[in-house]
Amino acid sequence: MDKEARIYVAGHEGLVGSTITRHLREQGFNNLILKPRDSLDLCRQESVKNFFAFEKPEYVFLAAARVGGIAANQQHPADFIRDNLQIQTNVIDSAYRHGVKKLLFLGSSCIYPRLASQPIHEECLMGGYLESTNEPYAVAKIAGIKMCQAYNRQYGTDFICVMPANLYGPGDNFDLENAHVLAALMHRFHLAKLNGEKEVAVWGTGKPRREFLHVDDLAAAVILLMNIYSGSEIINIGSGKDISIAEAAQLLKEVIGYSGAIVYDTAKPDGTPQKLLDINKIKALGWQPVITLEEGLRSTYKWFTEYYRRHARD
Ligand code: GFB
């Protein structure tokens, strides 16, 4: 990408899109095309077609998606499969029809089989049954990958697909019920600290293992790939380390400075037992994660408390 390239970041108001946008600006890309959600509904085919016809982006980061944690996925399976299929179909097809030079599609580590061998290599895709708590979302993301690969094969497009581990960072959704685990627990521990509560409930058994990646590390990886990688093979992006939910909760408790107890609500689902990605492929392309989980949680918590204070005053 040259610095004057017309780059569309779809989903620039979300965790991933906003971070990619900030990194692009920091690297001197100033010809960014950003459309707020309320002025372009990516689920509407006509609107997306007209937008591409008018704006003619050269590069597209497809970071727009309906996302959420385990509870949101379980409670809104129809919304997750429909919105994601619509958004990605509209954007990928318009990118082809309007001559986009290159598109990067963001998937998720939940596309892999529930019981894939660990660390999960890219070739495990479609090798077994999916985790039931997020199957509709995963199926939509798999469809996105297959669509990019099919367009590359039939139309000769340059559409690439990356599979990030569980992401976190400033700008995340911190909803107590619908967010992903680190953001939800950060909020819950914070409130417990403020209100002097004696215990905090962590969902499930605490035994599942997750690989967490700071969104700044992800943004660096996807911009690198947009610049140097072409091909239909999907690429994992992770921190290379996993920890149990119990360990993550303990770390959060320390970072936040909460002194009460952790209890486990085993009526809530555990989800998939382990998700640790094999990141050798992206490492061989010259990227590696630099933000440790502890550092990342500390800086995210700093951001969260400032945000929380500002919004409490509104
Ligand atoms: O982050 P999370 O919702 O994502 O949950 P998944 C991870 C683990 O944390 C599960 C436990 O074992 C949860 O039971 N957990 C403990 C909690 N306390 C909490 C809490 O307060 N909130 C949440 N959310 N979890 C998602 C998928 O699965 O991963 C999405 O549903 C997406 O589709 C995303 O792929 C990356 O890793 O289980």
Side-chain angles (χ1 to χ4, degrees), residues 140-217:
K141 288 291 182 184
I142 293 170
I145 297 168
K146 294 294 166 191
M147 198 165 162
C148 288
Q149 293 172 337
Y151 274 57
N152 288 347
R153 201 164 73 228
Q154 186 176 339
Y155 301 130
T157 49
D158 188 0
F159 294 168
I160 63 174
C161 302
V162 301
M163 303 303 126
N166 287 37
L167 299 169
Y168 71 98
D172 205 348
N173 165 17
F174 289 87
D175 188 87
L176 292 165
E177 296 301 316
N178 292 320
H180 291 101
V181 60
L182 294 181
L185 286 184
M186 185 173 282
H187 195 171
R188 211 173 300 146
F189 278 121
H190 180 70
L191 291 179
K193 181 174 86 169
L194 293 185
N195 301 328
E197 287 161 22
K198 290 205 171 60
E199 57 183 41
V200 162
V202 171
W203 297 353
T205 60
K207 291 186 183 139
R209 300 185 69 81
R210 294 289 183 274
E211 175 185 18
F212 297 107
L213 179 70
H214 192 281
V215 69
D216 273 319
D217 275 340

Side-chain angles (χ1 to χ4, degrees), residues 24-39:
L24 286 169
R25 285 197 173 123
E26 283 166 7
Q27 292 181 27
F29 295 98
N30 286 313
N31 208 351
L32 304 185
I33 304 165
L34 308 169
K35 264 290 197 198
R37 224 173 266 144
D38 53 12
S39 66

Side-chain angles (χ1 to χ4, degrees), residues 5 13 32 37 41 44 60 73 80 83 88 109 111 113 121 154 157 162 172-173 211 224 239 242 247 251 264 276 302:
E13 292 162 303
L32 304 185
R37 224 173 266 144
D41 180 352
R44 299 177 73 94
V60 176
N73 269 271
F80 274 77
D83 290 356
Q88 65 204 33
S109 59
I111 54 141
H121 192 273
Q154 186 176 339
T157 49
V162 301
D172 205 348
N173 165 17
E211 175 185 18
L224 173 78
S239 60
D242 65 343
E247 289 165 329
L251 181 58
Y264 289 92
L276 173 64
K302 188 163 178 289

Side-chain angles (χ1 to χ4, degrees), residues 70-85:
I70 194 164
N73 269 271
Q74 281 194 302
Q75 283 157 21
H76 305 284
D79 298 349
F80 274 77
I81 193 164
R82 181 202 54 234
D83 290 356
N84 286 306
L85 283 173

Side-chain angles (χ1 to χ4, degrees), residues 23 27 215-225 287:
H23 279 235
Q27 292 181 27
V215 69
D216 273 319
D217 275 340
L218 174 85
V222 297
I223 295 170
L224 173 78
L225 291 176
W287 171 90

